[in-house]
Amino acid sequence: MKVIDYFKRMFNKNKNQQLLNAPKTRYQELVESIDDIELSNMFISGITPDLIDTIKQYKGNQYEYPLQTKISTDNTIELTQKFFESIDKDISRKVNDIINGNNPNIILKIENYNSKGAYVSNPNQMPIIVYIPLKQDLRQLYEMIHELTHTLDIDNGDTTTRKVLGEVAPQCMERMLDNYLLTMTDNELNKYDFNKTVLEKDIQDRRLSTFASRFHNTQNLNNRKGNRELDSRYMLAQIYSSHFNNLDKSKKKGKLISFIESVKNDEFDEANNCFGLLMNRNLRLHRELYVRNTISEADNIRTHQNINTIQKQRDNDLTRDDIS
């Protein structure tokens, strides 16, 4: 053995030993407290063959799956502002400051799509860039809502809780946008030149393509590939947002606002409490239920051609219950 190879082996051995003896970071403690690896295994094990077939239909960059509803830049900005106004006055004010260029620490950059995806830059480095590529369809509205929501929990930088749960609020806000769009009046639909049937199908596709993308992250996490921090937080976003969808409608806004504050203040347990989630690794039955519900939600969307059909089925079920 060459002398240089010997010293390399000894160096690597010492380095590995140091890593083994190193104290756990708070990030490690948090993800291990909820055992994200076990959650990914539950997710993979519970997926149905039919849902796998559906996921395969969303090829390429699943999260950027094209939508049919067209929308202009001006209408995207206007609907973004109207949507956040419907959520909370303080949040609306913060978002409007960013859109109108009145926040020097957060710069909104909107430009024509050039293969670069939407993002928010490192919150620990000022100024923070919110980048939105224009695709001239409903994706850019979803991306505006998603990325601007990221700016609501960064006052204290990229906290450890945010590293774990940072994708939850943006995905929950997207689901709030679903409901906002579905309850638009005929006059509003006409104003923005939205076709109701096409819009409903687009919302369905957005939810399924998002699920497909998050499932891909879950596969990476379960197979110990890719970026654990990234894959874990996207998987958790899918599980948490599915649970959020089933909360009392009248309390959703308040719970989401409280969740955002908890993430911003690095309060991991409080963030979970906001949604009433029991995520501790020792509470296996609760965790399994959350994962099953996540998969069932996507499966329910898959089995119906549009959201109106889903609502009709629910109404029929309620009617049958009343008769019985």
Side-chain angles (χ1 to χ4, degrees):
M1 178 186 295
K2 294 181 180 179
V3 174
I4 190 169
D5 291 334
Y6 171 79
F7 281 109
K8 280 183 178 179
R9 287 185 61 182
M10 291 300 296
F11 174 79
N12 288 333
K13 182 177 180 181
N14 290 334
K15 185 178 180 182
N16 289 337
Q17 190 62 44
Q18 288 172 2
L19 290 173
L20 288 172
N21 295 333
K24 288 183 180 179
T25 65
R26 182 159 183 264
Y27 174 81
Q28 289 173 312
E29 290 175 353
L30 292 186
V31 292
E32 288 178 11
S33 74
I34 60 173
D35 198 344
D36 60 337
I37 302 297
E38 183 183 59
L39 284 171
S40 71
N41 185 260
M42 292 177 182
F43 207 134
I44 300 298
S45 301
I47 206 81
T48 63
D50 287 340
L51 197 49
I52 289 289
D53 289 340
T54 299
I55 289 171
K56 290 177 180 177
Q57 296 174 21
Y58 295 95
K59 298 177 181 178
N61 188 336
Q62 295 155 325
Y63 193 62
E64 294 190 8
Y65 185 80
L67 303 177
Q68 300 304 307
T69 299
K70 303 303 178 185
I71 187 170
S72 68
T73 303
D74 288 344
N75 285 346
T76 298
I77 293 172
E78 181 176 310
L79 278 173
T80 297
Q81 292 175 311
K82 286 181 177 295
F83 169 74
F84 280 115
E85 284 172 13
S86 75
I87 298 298
D88 180 74
K89 288 182 179 179
D90 287 337
I91 286 178
S92 174
R93 177 181 52 78
K94 291 177 182 178
V95 168
N96 285 337
D97 282 345
I98 296 171
I99 290 175
N100 296 326
N102 296 328
N103 186 337
N105 293 323
I106 305 177
I107 309 300
L108 178 62
K109 186 176 182 181
I110 301 175
E111 63 182 31
N112 290 331
Y113 180 61
N114 61 0
S115 78
K116 188 163 59 174
Y119 68 87
V120 171
S121 63
N122 188 339
N124 294 326
Q125 298 177 2
M126 297 293 176
I128 298 163
I129 305 298
V130 179
Y131 177 77
I132 307 295
L134 296 175
K135 299 166 183 173
Q136 306 308 323
D137 67 36
L138 205 60
R139 283 176 295 175
Q140 65 193 38
L141 176 59
Y142 275 98
E143 289 173 352
M144 279 279 281
I145 300 302
H146 186 107
E147 301 305 335
L148 286 170
T149 300
H150 272 308
T151 68
L152 302 176
D153 60 14
I154 58 177
D155 289 0
N156 299 320
D158 197 17
T159 65
T160 308
T161 298
R162 189 175 186 273
K163 290 180 188 297
V164 181
L165 301 177
E167 289 295 335
V168 172
Q171 188 158 329
C172 289
M173 204 68 85
E174 285 198 35
R175 302 290 71 82
M176 296 287 282
L177 178 61
D178 294 340
N179 294 328
Y180 180 85
L181 294 172
L182 288 169
T183 56
M184 292 177 76
T185 65
D186 289 340
N187 286 338
E188 288 172 322
L189 292 170
N190 290 332
K191 176 182 178 180
Y192 298 108
D193 198 24
F194 289 168
N195 178 287
K196 188 173 184 178
T197 302
V198 175
L199 181 63
E200 290 170 347
K201 179 64 166 58
D202 278 344
I203 292 170
Q204 179 187 21
D205 279 333
R206 179 69 180 187
R207 294 183 70 175
L208 284 174
S209 61
T210 299
F211 180 89
S213 178
R214 303 317 189 219
F215 179 67
H216 178 70
N217 292 119
T218 305
Q219 286 178 308
N220 284 343
L221 180 62
N222 192 57
N223 295 328
R224 314 299 199 276
K225 294 181 179 179
N227 182 324
R228 177 179 181 175
E229 184 178 312
L230 191 68
D231 292 326
S232 181
R233 63 194 275 171
Y234 279 127
M235 176 193 69
L236 292 172
Q238 187 64 46
I239 295 171
Y240 278 56
S241 66
S242 294
H243 181 78
F244 175 78
N245 287 340
N246 292 314
L247 296 177
D248 185 333
K249 187 177 180 181
S250 65
K251 298 179 180 179
K252 278 186 177 181
K253 292 177 184 179
K255 287 181 179 295
L256 184 54
I257 292 167
S258 297
F259 180 89
I260 291 169
E261 284 297 304
S262 295
V263 172
K264 181 179 72 175
N265 295 325
D266 203 10
E267 297 167 340
F268 182 76
D269 291 335
E270 284 301 315
N272 285 320
N273 290 339
C274 290
F275 286 1
L277 283 161
L278 302 173
M279 294 297 291
N280 187 280
R281 64 184 303 162
N282 296 322
L283 302 174
R284 184 178 178 88
L285 292 178
H286 290 89
R287 292 151 55 81
E288 286 180 333
L289 178 62
Y290 301 145
V291 173
R292 282 201 307 271
N293 289 344
T294 300
I295 295 169
S296 295
E297 180 185 65
D299 225 7
N300 287 338
I301 299 171
R302 176 194 63 79
T303 55
H304 297 83
Q305 292 190 3
N306 56 55
I307 294 176
N308 280 341
T309 306
I310 296 173
Q311 188 60 54
K312 184 178 179 181
Q313 181 63 47
R314 288 175 180 166
D315 291 343
N316 290 339
D317 290 341
L318 288 174
T319 301
R320 285 194 292 272
D321 289 341
D322 289 341
I323 293 173
S324 60

